[in-house]
Amino acid sequence: ITGSDFTGAEKVAFGATEVAFTVVSDHEITTTSPLAAEQGKVDVTVTTPQGTSVKKGHFEYKDV
């Protein structure tokens, strides 16, 4: 995940599912997306002490 102000991130979620993550830098977080219950787009949220950032429909699960 790329963005800004990630230092001190407290939570990362794909839809309603929280995931483990590593803050690489103030501009980068690494994580692995969770398994999806169904196909479709989900919001990705990052919560930091400054608030929660939401990228609406940023991640899409597809049947391959």
Side-chain angles (χ1 to χ4, degrees):
I1 301 170
T2 58
S4 61
D5 300 322
F6 289 153
T7 300
E10 302 163 345
K11 179 171 75 170
V12 173
F14 287 71
T17 305
E18 290 186 30
V19 294
F21 64 95
T22 301
V23 176
V24 176
S25 71
D26 193 50
H27 301 284
E28 182 180 355
I29 289 175
T30 59
T31 188
T32 301
S33 61
L35 294 175
E38 58 187 63
Q39 295 181 50
K41 294 181 179 183
V42 297
D43 298 343
V44 176
T45 59
V46 176
T47 302
T48 69
Q50 292 78 28
T52 299
S53 173
V54 179
K55 293 194 175 208
K56 299 226 178 249
H58 189 72
F59 190 84
E60 184 173 6
Y61 290 99
K62 293 182 179 181
D63 186 18
V64 186

